[in-house]
Amino acid sequence: MRRRVTFSRNVTLSLSRTCVSHCKYCAFATHRAHLHEPEEVERLLDSAARRHVKELLVLTGDEPGHHPGVREKLARLGFADFVAYVVWCCERALERGLLPHTNLGALGRADLARLREVTASQGLMLESLRPDLVAHQASPTKDPALRLRTLRAAEELKIPFTSGILVGIGESEEDRMAALEALAGYSNVQEVILQNFVPHRRYYGAEPAEIATAAAESYWRTGLHEGPDVPAPEWSSPVTVADMERLVAEARRQLPGAGIQVPPNLADWWPRLVAAGATDLGGLSANGDHISPEHPFPSPHQVRKQLAADGVALTERLCVYPRFIDPEWLGQGVLDVIKARFWSFIPRRGSGRTDGPKGALRPDTIARARGGQPLALSEVTALFAETRPEAIEDMRQAADELRAELAGDTVTFVVNRNLNVSNVCIVGCAFCGFGQGRRSPDAYTHERAEFVGRIRAAVEYGATELCVQSGIHPDWTLEDYESWLRLAKETASQLHLHAYSPMEVAHMCDRAGLPPDEVFARLRAAGLDSVPGTAAEVLHDGVRERISPNKLPAARWVEIVEAAHRAGLRSTVTVMFGHIEEPHELAEHMRVVRALQERTGGFTEFVPLSFIPFNTLLGRTHGIEEISREENLKHTAAFRLALGKSVPSLQASWVKMGLDAATEALRWGVNDLGGTLMEESISRMAGSYHGVKLDPGDLVGAAHRAGRPAAERTTLYEIRRRYPLAAAA
Ligand code: SF4
């Protein structure tokens, strides 16, 4: 799978910098009474909410309440103690849809429990296991035993926890490894921070939060930043990138289930640490790093650009890691905010249940699906939700038998060319990495000469089909769409023109003020031969409202495709899955597709398209990972079973799942490997890494590897050339 690196879109609240300890490396702490007023807190929260920040990071000195001045201020504000004030801040954050993550230093069990009710996660750096570091002299709260006790109490209270080590504060390599080993002993550690020490100047009389915010604002605006060069103190120990790489590797080994965080603001070596296996870049806080104020975080945009060059995608996470988003680990109030605001981050947990009215796979469902009988919505839901390996194997076998009965053993493909004339689009689907605003530097629209040149290249290559689709260009009229078809036919009349998604047709109807029947009559006259059944996504308006609210509703999609079939144009039908949809929503999609096919018989094939998250808004900001190969294959079988005998051909998309998985899918109900494509912009721009072109020989080879004969077909499934198995020898 392609690699993702995560970050949390957060804002930092340094509620009190008053600290009981005197760590030599710290520029954050003060030993005077410091406490932000409630009005300041609310202002920060309001501005964070406006900017769609997801996490409030509450940072404080250790035990600020030890200071009489802080206690006095708390009493004036009506809080019994400092933790009560933090709880109040967290409640205000939750009200605004921000998830609190607190880092208050070493705490006792009672305080951890109070915070658990209002935080999504908590944190405490272990820093080091060494009790005798010079840097920690006069710092009673840096006692490693005390900090490990906090971690243990948090584990017992089931609090998702972030910890980590400081590197370069006078410890040896063995000390670092021992600290990692200690952290590996806690089941609640969701993430380990490997933080290299960077020397700071002293900030007497200044406010680090203000310095941090100013530095961050300037860096995010200009992209330019140079940190101060402060000599290393005597008690520190040198740190090299090789040291950090070894630590990343060891952290991965010791804590395989945890995120490995490296700060991208403390050294420019962080891309090497990502290459070594680091999985997270921390907060990228918009108001800077309050601990190292003159080292602002780069902006997500800056980081994304740098990672893209290495083929790594940057995506958001919540402060609580997915496996802890569960009632066992989170307070109800926090879970409610996640369900209401960040539902897409909740990991899918297939039901696998065998009881209950919904999601239960009835014993005879697979047999009836194999026989082609229609299934109830709840039964199709159960197929998509199934997790039991033996039931999934039964689904695979039934789908494979159904494929053999309906489509035979021959694996077909079409030699075609995709041609995306323009990627300018006004719709803005959250799952799309292809559509661009007109002014985007990545926007393009082909000239007519370019269009003709690409068609000629397709003919030379031996293509029989041209598949033309574009973004929804605000300037294009029905006449423009007709003219592309005419130009294609003038250039190569023998090519089958498979063109225009139902969304494009809806746009033509709107622009021309004509019903779909009349639009299709005109497109046919201009040369249209068949229609791609794209823009279907999931034919359930609840899903469509969440992922593409500006796109045509499900009923309009059906209306347009039905009009195409009425006009004598066959179409394919697609589904885009593996994002935020639920099994019952996919079941509804299959109900709509099957009902339409029973009315018109116009679908040539069903094409499952798994979601490519990497360069899309939905993937970046909603925490969606690429669907696993196993889930992809299970869904493939479920699609075949849900279709019954209504649509004989089921395709695997090698662009989405890779040729290897597509070849495996031939055992899961698939009989067709789609097209050679020649160019593929839609998935490529969303971050697909499976290539843009395959030769017929690649597809023939895949079929033969699966032990099946192959054949080149036309768009409408006439066989052009056979590649029997013996020919493979
Ligand atoms: S999916 Fe199609 S309609 Fe949606 S933004 Fe992308 S190009 Fe535009």
Side-chain angles (χ1 to χ4, degrees), residues 425 427-429 431-432 434-435 471-472 551:
C425 187
V427 180
C429 304
F431 57 80
C432 177
F434 170 73
I472 303 304
K551 207 157 208 169

Side-chain angles (χ1 to χ4, degrees), residues 384 533-539 557 572-579 581 585-590 593 605-611 635-636 639 650-651 653 656:
F384 289 119
T534 46
E537 324 313 353
V538 178
L539 291 167
W557 187 94
T572 60
V573 53
T574 61
V575 61
M576 190 188 65
F577 66 104
H579 40 92
E581 87 287 353
E585 292 161 337
L586 283 181
E588 169 64 10
H589 180 97
M590 300 313 292
V593 167
E605 71 205 16
F606 186 89
V607 188
L609 304 168
S610 49
F611 174 55
H635 277 75
T636 304
F639 290 129
L650 178 67
Q651 188 176 108
S653 167
K656 304 285 186 188

